Amino acid sequence: EAGVTQFPSHSVIEKGQTVTLRCDPISGHDNLYWYRRVMGKEIKFLLHFVKESKQDESGMPNNRFLAERTGGTYSTLKVQPAELEDSGVYFCASSQVDWNQETQYFGPGTRLLVL
Amino acid sequence: AQTVTQSQPEMSVQEAETVTLSCTYDTSESDYYLFWYKQPPSRQMILVIRQEAYKQQNATENRFSVNFQKAAKSFSLKISDSQLGDAAMYFCAYRSGTASKLTFGTGTRLQVTL
């Protein structure tokens, strides 16, 4: 069974540019999460999808971040325009429907550097 | 809001020895779950062990065990017979019983030496 995959693995962009990160969850997982780790700090929750619906987006930092999950399969996280403080590692995780017993399976992350 | 604190940014252990990683958390909830995740260099994060707060018995997974002290809000990870493959970043995480998002600590980088 394929794990959670993320693309790209690395991205270097200039301030003001747009970047789109993609996450493919494990097949059959309805729950999809985005997290972010800024250098040296804790991993922070961004948002949670259940299928195509946003269940919790309380961690989204501002309206420069837009997450979508059309069709309830893969998800994209767009940052537009990117700022220096957006640099970090963006993790995606997925889990099965019964989240009370869930294990969240993480992808390898996308390392974003904004110059 | 819940917080998770890992006070050891780096730890080192010799192969075959035992090491304990510390984690404390703050919550007013009674129903919650605690996790230890491991992220090896350049690889994805995997779950090492989980503990349900309502269970008094400490969770164990092979060489990995926890010391869960609910009253003290402490959740340390003990790695016995350390192996080179245990070298990784270890993250402690909390999840409320009523929400699915994880709250992480800042991580502890574990080195395993020969």
Side-chain angles (χ1 to χ4, degrees), chain A residues 91-111:
Chain A
F91 293 101
C92 176
S94 72
S95 70
Q96 292 182 318
V97 172
D98 186 8
W99 60 264
N100 215 26
Q101 294 296 323
E102 75 171 356
T103 291
Q104 293 186 23
Y105 295 89
F106 281 77
T110 292
R111 283 152 183 78

Side-chain angles (χ1 to χ4, degrees), chain A residues 33 35 37 48 102 104 106, chain B residues 37 44 50 100 102 106:
Chain A
Y33 306 84
Y35 293 87
R37 185 179 189 219
H48 169 209
E102 75 171 356
Q104 293 186 23
F106 281 77
Chain B
Y37 278 87
Q44 54 207 89
R50 67 178 268 161
S100 56
L102 295 171
T106 50

Side-chain angles (χ1 to χ4, degrees), chain B residues 26-45:
Chain B
D26 188 23
T27 184
S28 58
E29 299 179 321
S30 58
D31 178 24
Y32 54 88
Y33 303 80
L34 296 164
F35 306 84
W36 278 99
Y37 278 87
K38 165 187 176 182
Q39 186 179 25
S42 301
R43 293 176 60 186
Q44 54 207 89
M45 201 151 49

Side-chain angles (χ1 to χ4, degrees), chain A residues 4-11 13 19-23 33-39 43-47 59-62 64-66 76-93 106-114, chain B residues 39 45:
Chain A
V4 177
T5 57
Q6 293 186 244
F7 182 84
S9 59
H10 295 78
S11 181
I13 62 172
V19 63
T20 300
L21 314 180
R22 172 170 170 147
C23 168
Y33 306 84
W34 284 99
Y35 293 87
R36 174 175 74 171
R37 185 179 189 219
V38 173
M39 178 74 77
I43 300 169
K44 284 195 171 179
F45 167 81
L46 295 178
L47 87 159
M60 293 288 265
N62 52 61
R64 295 185 294 102
F65 289 74
L66 175 63
T76 58
L77 179 65
K78 181 191 286 188
V79 185
Q80 179 183 31
E83 298 288 345
L84 299 179
E85 64 264 25
D86 300 333
S87 296
V89 182
Y90 289 76
F91 293 101
C92 176
F106 281 77
T110 292
R111 283 152 183 78
L112 174 64
L113 179 60
V114 182
Chain B
Q39 186 179 25
M45 201 151 49

Side-chain angles (χ1 to χ4, degrees), chain B:
Chain B
Q2 295 82 20
T3 58
V4 176
T5 302
Q6 293 179 251
S7 58
Q8 306 154 317
E10 292 188 6
M11 292 282 284
S12 183
V13 63
Q14 281 194 321
E15 202 177 15
E17 296 296 307
T18 295
V19 65
T20 299
L21 307 185
S22 300
C23 173
T24 58
Y25 59 94
D26 188 23
T27 184
S28 58
E29 299 179 321
S30 58
D31 178 24
Y32 54 88
Y33 303 80
L34 296 164
F35 306 84
W36 278 99
Y37 278 87
K38 165 187 176 182
Q39 186 179 25
S42 301
R43 293 176 60 186
Q44 54 207 89
M45 201 151 49
I46 56 173
L47 179 67
V48 175
I49 201 165
R50 67 178 268 161
Q51 175 82 43
E52 292 83 353
Y54 63 84
K55 289 188 178 178
Q56 293 188 340
Q57 187 172 9
N58 288 325
T60 299
E61 287 288 341
N62 300 313
R63 297 182 294 106
F64 298 86
S65 62
V66 298
N67 183 5
F68 174 45
Q69 301 288 328
K70 192 171 183 179
K73 295 180 182 172
S74 171
F75 182 62
S76 60
L77 175 70
K78 185 171 86 171
I79 306 173
S80 304
D81 186 26
S82 296
Q83 300 176 359
L84 294 178
D86 295 332
M89 194 74 159
Y90 286 82
F91 293 97
C92 179
Y94 168 101
R95 180 168 72 75
S96 165
T98 58
S100 56
K101 65 182 179 184
L102 295 171
T103 300
F104 286 89
T106 50
T108 296
R109 185 173 300 282
L110 178 66
Q111 261 191 324
V112 181
T113 59
L114 294 170

